[in-house]
Amino acid sequence: MIEETCVAEFIHVLLGVLGFFCVAIWQCWCGWLVSFLFFLGNLPFCLVQRYNRPKLVKLLRWLESKEPGQDPVEQVGLAIQYE
């Protein structure tokens, strides 16, 4: 899953950069506007992949190190306690 985040980030960066070829199609200010909007549209997806990757690596390391039979929710302290 971690490799998929790297691939997804690369593809969105590539799409954002290649979007500037819209200027070759529309050689006025419209081409620059479309290119900029296309880049801005791909930017959040790049940031999400970059933001989540360290968390996924940490989660993977934790899952690999835990002992069999442990409840991961209780160990992390995410269990919901009802009163």
Side-chain angles (χ1 to χ4, degrees), residues 18-35:
L18 291 177
F20 283 100
F21 284 108
C22 290
V23 177
I25 298 170
W26 297 297
Q27 296 178 354
C28 62
W29 62 271
C30 297
W32 286 103
L33 178 66
V34 170
S35 299

Side-chain angles (χ1 to χ4, degrees), residues 16-65:
V17 171
L18 291 177
F20 283 100
F21 284 108
C22 290
V23 177
I25 298 170
W26 297 297
Q27 296 178 354
C28 62
W29 62 271
C30 297
W32 286 103
L33 178 66
V34 170
S35 299
F36 183 70
L37 291 176
F38 196 71
F39 179 76
L40 283 181
N42 280 295
L43 187 61
F45 299 104
C46 296
L47 296 176
V48 165
Q49 302 300 327
R50 174 105 8 164
Y51 176 76
N52 286 332
R53 190 175 309 120
K55 293 180 180 193
L56 289 173
V57 169
K58 184 178 177 182
L59 178 64
L60 179 64
R61 287 184 183 152
W62 178 78
L63 286 173
E64 289 173 345
S65 69

